[in-house]
Amino acid sequence: MNDMSEQTIALVTGANKGIGYEIAAGLGALGWSVGVGARSEEQREAAVVRLRAAGADAFGVPLDVTDDASVAAAARLVEERAGRLDVLVNNAGITGGMPQEPTRVDPATARAAVETNVIGVIRVTNAMLPLLRRSASPRIVNMSSSVGSLTRQSDKDDPLKAGPISGAYAPSKTFLNAVTVQYAKELRDTNILINLGCPGYCATDLNGHRGVRTPEQGAAIAIRLATLPDDGPTGGFFEDDGVVPW
Ligand SMILES: NC(=O)c1ccc[n+]([C@@H]2O[C@H](COP(=O)([O-])OP(=O)(O)OC[C@H]3O[C@@H](n4cnc5c(N)ncnc54)[C@H](OP(=O)(O)O)[C@@H]3O)[C@@H](O)[C@H]2O)c1
């Protein structure tokens, strides 16, 4: 254990590909030690090799956010390696499968989206909190989406501007937003800053690569929220252009 290390220690969930990989790359480029949280050993190790080849101090963290034992083991791994955690990026997410109009959605689809996108974040955050509390400037970044904005979803002029009709994925991000506000409320007297980021519509496996931004562009907001100064915001919802309305 090396809890005296000056090097910032981060963990990114779902970092084997897409936006999560680019978040890990961006944090690695800052000279941070970055845990690549991923459930597939093959994909995790491939990501670690790529990140190391780019100069990042990356290490693999076996992690399925829906599995208690996996998450507990991930916390033990980070503790044994670094003794603490400075930054947690809860990036792992799923849509749950399509179609998902509310009148047709399979309850299993809605349950899966909530299990990963909300309960998974709670499970990982609470497992990592003891390690985050040992940091001088802990940060938690929850990757949400502007599709979780009720203000944008209920825009009377253009409700489809905030994405397709969704009875599972979009509401799961609204739920995540609500949970994050409650974390910020409970943690308001600590030095932990917890915020939500929206990456914009990025071309990844999540949307069949229909997004118009690159995963690297999507990672930028997470990197900004991961590197907030001590007097930075908490309990907020941000995209590149500023605050996202609830
Ligand atoms: N792409 C967009 O336009 C967009 C827009 C708004 C918000 N977001 C959010 O950004 C985040 C990243 O999305 P992305 O577009 O990069 O999607 P992606 O390419 O599909 O990557 C999703 C990542 O989450 C991981 N994951 C899913 N379930 C997991 C579980 N149970 N345990 C551990 N990891 C799990 C995936 O691992 P596997 O490879 O093992 O499946 C993968 O690494 C998500 O939270 C998403 O909701 C994306």
Side-chain angles (χ1 to χ4, degrees), residues 13-23 37-40 43 62-67 70-71 90-95 112 115-117 120-121 123-124 142-147 169 172-173 176 197-215 218:
T13 71
N16 51 296
K17 66 180 184 182
I19 297 165
Y21 176 86
E22 294 299 340
I23 296 169
R39 53 188 172 174
S40 150
Q43 291 184 35
L63 180 59
D64 181 336
V65 304
T66 64
D67 184 304
S70 167
V71 172
N90 286 306
N91 163 81
I94 59 168
T95 62
E115 183 59 45
T116 298
N117 301 348
V121 173
R123 183 180 287 113
V124 174
N142 291 342
M143 287 308 270
S144 184
S145 170
S146 61
V147 303
Y169 177 67
S172 78
K173 293 298 188 180
L176 175 63
C198 171
Y201 191 33
C202 303
T204 67
D205 287 350
L206 189 95
N207 51 38
H209 294 262
R210 282 185 296 273
V212 294
R213 284 158 61 84
T214 65

Side-chain angles (χ1 to χ4, degrees), residues 144-235:
S144 184
S145 170
S146 61
V147 303
S149 163
L150 293 178
T151 302
R152 290 194 182 164
Q153 289 290 353
S154 54
D155 184 332
K156 289 195 175 45
D157 297 326
D158 192 1
L160 291 179
K161 196 167 61 186
I165 296 168
S166 160
Y169 177 67
S172 78
K173 293 298 188 180
T174 313
F175 190 174
L176 175 63
N177 292 353
V179 165
T180 304
V181 168
Q182 296 299 321
Y183 270 101
K185 211 167 132 179
E186 184 184 348
L187 297 171
R188 69 190 183 284
D189 293 330
T190 74
N191 58 355
I192 302 174
L193 302 181
I194 178 166
N195 289 287
L196 296 144
C198 171
Y201 191 33
C202 303
T204 67
D205 287 350
L206 189 95
N207 51 38
H209 294 262
R210 282 185 296 273
V212 294
R213 284 158 61 84
T214 65
E216 191 177 359
Q217 287 172 319
I221 187 65
I223 293 163
R224 208 174 100 206
L225 295 172
T227 55
L228 284 174
D230 289 343
D231 62 352
T234 191

Side-chain angles (χ1 to χ4, degrees), residues 112-138:
V114 170
E115 183 59 45
T116 298
N117 301 348
V118 185
I119 312 297
V121 173
I122 294 171
R123 183 180 287 113
V124 174
T125 301
N126 290 354
M128 298 297 163
L129 260 174
L131 301 177
L132 286 159
R133 290 185 192 277
R134 295 180 195 161
S135 169
S137 299

